[in-house]
Amino acid sequence: MPTLSINFDPAVIAHLMKASGDDTVHVTLTLGTEAKQSSPRQVVPHGPLADLMQAGLLEAGAVLSFHQRRAKRSGRAVVTPDGQLVVDGHATPYPSPSKAAEAVTGNVINGWTLWHVEDGRTLDVLRRELESRNSQ
């Protein structure tokens, strides 16, 4: 019996994880006519988060979050392999931390100082750490 392998982009997985019991998720499979097995393509990060990812300071699948007490709002996003952010409740990935933050807050805001990695550091702190490494 042939083996079937299905690989999903992390952005798709993030979207499926936030689907509620009332949501319908449609998946379309297409059978190829070629007999050769293709290997997963290597994704290279690009955009504002690319340098942090290439330096190993931020990884695909990393969860970013923020909480604004006074505004009573919080947000959560997942970093995709190509350096974008998938924000909970939004189907389309955002190309920058600030665009992702704006999608959650509804305001133009500096996403570099808003989003935190799991250990509490902001993306801006990670960016400064990278600058410090590069200047040595």
Side-chain angles (χ1 to χ4, degrees), residues 36-47:
K36 72 175 187 175
Q37 183 179 12
S38 63
S39 59
R41 63 181 172 93
Q42 180 72 17
V43 177
V44 177
H46 59 277

Side-chain angles (χ1 to χ4, degrees), residues 34-69:
E34 296 181 13
K36 72 175 187 175
Q37 183 179 12
S38 63
S39 59
R41 63 181 172 93
Q42 180 72 17
V43 177
V44 177
H46 59 277
L49 297 177
D51 290 341
L52 293 178
M53 294 177 75
Q54 291 167 348
L57 291 170
L58 188 65
E59 295 182 3
V63 176
L64 306 179
S65 61
F66 75 85
H67 181 70
Q68 294 175 312
R69 267 181 242 148

Side-chain angles (χ1 to χ4, degrees), residues 13-41:
I13 298 298
H15 180 72
L16 292 173
M17 294 289 291
K18 69 179 182 200
S20 73
D22 296 334
D23 290 339
T24 301
V25 177
H26 298 276
V27 176
T28 303
L29 299 175
T30 305
L31 296 176
T33 57
E34 296 181 13
K36 72 175 187 175
Q37 183 179 12
S38 63
S39 59
R41 63 181 172 93

